[in-house]
Amino acid sequence: MDVEKIFHMTGGDGETSYSKNSTLQKKASDKVKFVTLEIIEQVYLMTAPKSLGIADLGCSSGPNTLSNVREIVHTIEGICQPAPPPEFRVYLNDLPTNDFNAIFQALPDFYTDLKNKRSQPPILYIAGYPGTFYGRLFPDNCLHFIYSSYSLHWLSRVPPGLYDDKCRSINKGSLYISKSSPPQVPKAYSKQFQEDFSLFLNSRSKELVSGGGMVLILLGREGPNHMDRGNSFFWEILSRSLASLVNKGDVEKEKLDSYDVHFYAPSKEELEYLIRKEGSLKLDRLEMFEIEKDVCDDGTSYGTRVAMTVRAIQESMLGHHFGDAILDDLFEIYGKMVDEEMAKEDICPMTFIVVLRKI
């Protein structure tokens, strides 16, 4: 399965779109927004550029994307007053399958909003920049600040170590690392993450100017156990949901046995080790946090909201492999299973914020 050609958040603004179902990601970025804005402020004061280069890697589409740009512009404008701010060069990056059109269609209103609130609007250039961030994207020394939220836990590919010499999955019945997975499975996932993350760091270090900074927000796990009751447990529930459709005869068992996700939740120790080993960037901050599980005003259960979020993220991959016809039933079952598990014991998906600098 060619991840780069298939994987994307669900576009548009329909009921299953990422635009309508990315509030959990927004809550995470908002929780650590003060860190993001503090770093962009420090980078600007240290480098004092006339043209400020910013990249959002894995930008997706929907309101979160331009919200981040607006906050950064406001912050830099506040530092510069009464002098005019620098010009802003903003590169919005994601895979070519991303719904860039939705972003472009939102730009006229975004620019109008900036102009209406200022006597002298900022000089702002925004461009879509399709391509995988596992490798070079930009020229040397052209960026001052890089931001990536909820993207780096997605691997460049399904780890090849999950397959035997006849290209059959060794992780039958599971989408990710589970208690039934053979020892080669966590090793394969860890190896792929090491390769991808190291390549990401090396590529970004060449693209950042000296004094440039980077803020990364990604899912992870607490401690060495891959099968914690956090992010990996949500994949366990999705495996069970698909298994229930197998039992009903709606999904072939062979289809389930041959499906593996391109996801990895690293530990704090893994991140620290890989950053030190790659060596091109200085680690300033690495913290773990959890998003509070608030009550939805319309009475929607937590499980339903998680199901809609996961669907907006995984619909492209699941639809390609299993067919779109199963998706409604699959995520109805999934939402109910999440609620049932939450009634027994809390599920605690953890998120990291990582701050890196180029010396």
Side-chain angles (χ1 to χ4, degrees), residues 5 17 26-27 65 92 119-120 123 160 163-164 205 208 214 224 253 257 272-273 284 288 294 305 330 333 335 358:
K5 291 182 179 179
S17 67
K26 182 68 163 62
K27 283 182 68 177
T65 304
L92 302 177
S119 57
Q120 185 176 356
I123 300 171
Y163 302 96
D164 63 19
S205 70
L208 280 169
M214 182 157 59
K253 187 176 185 303
D257 287 343
E272 289 174 334
Y273 168 75
D284 263 12
M288 177 178 280
D294 56 0
R305 280 180 290 144
L330 173 64
I333 294 167
K358 181 176 177 180

Side-chain angles (χ1 to χ4, degrees), residues 3 31 34 63 75 89 124 133 149 157 161-162 189 219-220 224 229 250 254 270 281 285 299 302 307 312 316 339 356:
V3 168
K31 186 165 184 174
F34 72 98
T75 297
R89 292 175 286 111
L124 178 62
F133 50 54
S149 180
R157 59 180 177 172
L162 297 180
Y189 273 106
L219 296 174
R229 197 173 173 87
D250 295 336
E254 292 74 16
E270 283 178 292
L281 296 165
R285 189 169 190 159
Y302 177 71
S316 61
D339 283 332
L356 299 159

